[in-house]
Amino acid sequence: ESDVAQTALVLLNKGSEPLSFDVAEHMQPGEWVEQLTGEKRQISEGDSLNSVVDANGVQVWVRNGKLSDAAFEAELLAAMAVQ
């Protein structure tokens, strides 16, 4: 449906050691759920998502709901237009 919206954040570590991520830019507030483990994180406005990804590992974080940052949405749309 057109009124269903989700944002996915994929953290990929292709290295041989665990890697720490601190995602702050354009982080949307709300509940983020890691799809492989079910771990949940509540992110407030201005917070970052911090996580450690195992060596050669991946995490997929999903947030339900529309984007609340118009500048971020514009950047995403521009990036998709050149794909």
Side-chain angles (χ1 to χ4, degrees):
E1 292 189 13
S2 62
D3 54 339
V4 174
Q6 287 185 318
T7 303
L9 171 64
V10 178
L11 304 179
L12 177 64
N13 178 8
K14 294 173 77 175
S16 60
E17 299 290 329
L19 185 61
S20 179
F21 288 84
D22 181 29
V23 182
E25 186 174 4
H26 298 304
M27 207 53 217
Q28 298 290 289
E31 182 179 72
W32 288 81
V33 180
E34 204 288 313
Q35 300 300 291
L36 303 175
T37 65
E39 180 181 352
K40 296 178 181 181
R41 301 265 183 95
Q42 188 65 38
I43 304 295
S44 297
E45 187 73 38
D47 283 353
S48 60
L49 187 142
N50 303 320
S51 194
V52 176
V53 179
D54 291 334
N56 298 301
V58 64
Q59 292 180 357
V60 180
W61 292 88
V62 173
R63 174 190 165 273
N64 290 317
K66 295 182 180 185
L67 294 175
S68 61
D69 183 338
F72 181 43
E73 185 173 6
E75 284 184 40
L76 289 173
L77 292 172
M80 289 188 304
V82 298
Q83 294 293 321

